[in-house]
Amino acid sequence: MQRSFARRSLLGAAAATGAAALLGSLGGTAHAAGAGDGWPESFRLPDGFQPEGIAIGHSPYAYFGSLGNGDIYQASLRTGRGRLLSAGPGTESHSVGLKIDRAERRLFIAGGTAIRVVDARTGALAHDYTTFGGQFVNDVILTPDAAWFTDSYQPLLYRLALDRAGEPVGAPVAVPLGGDWTQGDFTANGIARTPDGRALLVVNTVAGGGTLMRVDPATGTATAVDLGALRIPNGDGLLLLGRTLYIVQQVANQVDVVRLNAAGTRGTAIARITDPRFRIPTTAAAWGGRIYLPNARFDIEPTPTTDYDVVAIDQV
């Protein structure tokens, strides 16, 4: 799996210069400020954890996935203290993107070569769907009737059907991507819903220098979203709050903020968030007036003693 992580680091090596040039066209930089509630604005994760994904539900607890061995770590946003919730399958397994359901009962995990569902209260493994070779299941979003997963190596999404109680039904089904979709070595990354809930938004790091694709969930047809001059070659996690979309551009150490129309066909860049605490953040989740991002530190070789942390920024 080293190929995938190295690819992530290299995706935007040249894009940092382009991102800096784009910054001027966006009219400035938004910097984080403290929320003033006394809760920590950053906190440590276990040494050597190798975080990538984050999920937050209605309660002030965050869940993090490890690229190193698939562990799931739970932390209190009030104190920053946490615990190992679920031990991963091992060193050949990963927990990349993850989401928690509305009932805060299940964690859906994009696991590289597998899709897993873990009990969010006990950490017990509830479902394990091992995919075939050649995949890199990267991120996940939940809709009322399905969990949708991206695959960075192949032009397709996986749909895992859910019943009315949110319980998985059957096995994941591959949905091929067509239309404007362009596939490279490492392509699809973050995923979100459109503001109107009728389609999916998927990061495509290749098409048009890096952009969003609006995907029809019924057909897999992808249409490029009009983002104006904004390019997202380092696009990773997506966070949609109302019509405001936060796009984490990991290697560039920035979060681009876009105002979308309801259908998700057009977006206007309204801000760029930078912060000296960013050390290649990958994904984002919100609670209260803050957004929390784990620092993946893809620019260094991880060791068992490498330090990792989470930083909180204010919402735009």
Side-chain angles (χ1 to χ4, degrees):
M1 307 310 297
Q2 291 301 317
R3 173 189 170 199
S4 62
F5 306 142
R7 174 65 175 167
R8 283 170 173 250
S9 298
L10 291 172
L11 277 174
T17 301
L22 177 61
L23 177 59
S25 67
L26 294 181
T29 303
H31 293 273
D37 56 12
W39 291 21
E41 295 180 19
S42 65
F43 54 86
R44 292 282 297 271
L45 294 174
D47 287 351
F49 186 74
Q50 298 183 51
E52 212 281 1
I54 180 175
I56 300 175
H58 300 296
S59 304
Y61 294 92
Y63 301 82
F64 303 91
S66 169
L67 292 174
N69 58 9
D71 283 354
I72 303 296
Y73 183 79
Q74 180 190 41
S76 165
L77 301 179
R78 184 186 300 272
T79 65
R81 294 191 293 269
R83 66 178 177 123
L84 178 66
L85 174 70
S86 178
T91 55
E92 296 301 316
S93 301
H94 314 282
S95 290
V96 197
L98 64 161
K99 290 292 185 294
I100 190 167
D101 64 10
R102 293 182 61 85
E104 298 187 327
R105 294 180 55 191
R106 305 172 186 87
L107 280 167
F108 292 79
I109 303 165
T113 58
I115 290 170
R116 306 196 310 277
V117 182
V118 166
D119 188 303
R121 300 171 186 175
T122 68
L125 180 64
H127 300 276
D128 186 359
Y129 308 97
T130 300
T131 61
F132 299 102
Q135 285 94 339
F136 186 76
V137 186
N138 192 317
D139 208 353
V140 55
I141 192 66
L142 301 179
T143 68
D145 61 356
W148 290 87
F149 299 81
T150 60
D151 188 329
S152 296
Y153 287 169
Q154 300 186 86
L156 52 83
L157 301 177
Y158 300 104
R159 182 183 187 273
L160 176 60
L162 306 176
D163 65 19
R164 291 186 178 181
E167 180 69 20
V169 178
V173 175
V175 178
L177 293 169
D180 293 341
W181 190 265
T182 300
Q183 183 67 29
D185 291 338
F186 191 96
T187 306
N189 208 319
I191 184 170
R193 299 176 72 190
T194 56
D196 63 10
R198 297 182 178 180
L200 304 169
L201 296 171
V202 180
V203 171
N204 186 306
T205 62
V206 176
T211 192
L212 286 176
M213 292 285 176
R214 182 185 186 276
V215 178
D216 183 336
T219 65
T221 301
T223 305
V225 178
D226 181 3
L227 296 179
L230 179 64
R231 298 293 178 264
I232 54 170
N234 302 293
D236 201 325
L238 299 178
L239 172 64
L240 181 70
L241 300 177
R243 292 191 184 183
T244 303
L245 182 69
Y246 295 80
I247 306 170
V248 184
Q249 292 227 56
Q250 29 108 321
V251 175
N253 281 314
Q254 66 194 40
V255 179
D256 284 296
V257 188
V258 173
R259 180 71 172 175
L260 295 169
N261 64 353
T265 58
R266 297 189 311 275
T268 301
I270 60 173
R272 171 166 291 164
I273 303 172
T274 62
D275 193 293
R277 300 171 299 160
F278 285 171
R279 298 189 293 176
I280 308 188
T282 46
T283 49
W287 199 89
R290 286 179 169 177
I291 296 172
Y292 292 82
L293 306 98
N295 278 316
R297 306 195 68 186
F298 286 149
D299 56 338
I300 65 171
E301 186 69 25
T303 73
T305 59
T306 301
D307 67 288
Y308 295 98
D309 65 349
V310 182
V311 298
I313 59 175
D314 290 344
Q315 295 180 21
V316 172

